[in-house]
Amino acid sequence: MTQKEIIVKFIHEHGCITSQDAFRLGITQLGTRIYELKDQGYIFGKRRVKTKNQYGKPTHYDEYMILKEG
């Protein structure tokens, strides 16, 4: 299974994917794989989630979801 296939499968199963999810799956360049999937016709939505890190400082991360299959 390719990294792109893993990403699509994960999103289908969980609704979205973050860079932390991707890293746990062995994918270190989620943005690159998303870009490649866009070239294959996929359309993604992105939601920025604001949170705090372990030291209480504000931070954020992005969640990617598929809006249209390629």
Side-chain angles (χ1 to χ4, degrees), residues 4-5 7-13 15 36-45 65-70:
K4 291 184 285 188
E5 290 169 337
I7 290 166
V8 170
K9 182 176 187 273
F10 188 92
I11 293 173
H12 284 157
E13 292 174 354
E36 292 167 353
L37 285 163
K38 285 179 179 179
D39 277 350
Q40 293 178 354
Y42 283 84
I43 297 175
F44 287 88
M65 62 280 307
I66 296 173
L67 301 179
K68 182 178 175 239
E69 296 285 328

Side-chain angles (χ1 to χ4, degrees), residues 6-22 25 30 34 44-47 49 61-66:
I6 292 168
I7 290 166
V8 170
K9 182 176 187 273
F10 188 92
I11 293 173
H12 284 157
E13 292 174 354
H14 300 279
C16 65
I17 192 167
T18 67
S19 57
Q20 190 172 31
D21 296 326
L25 297 168
L30 177 61
I34 295 290
F44 287 88
K46 180 171 79 169
R47 181 174 77 123
V49 179
Y61 61 91
D62 294 330
E63 293 179 335
Y64 293 93
M65 62 280 307
I66 296 173

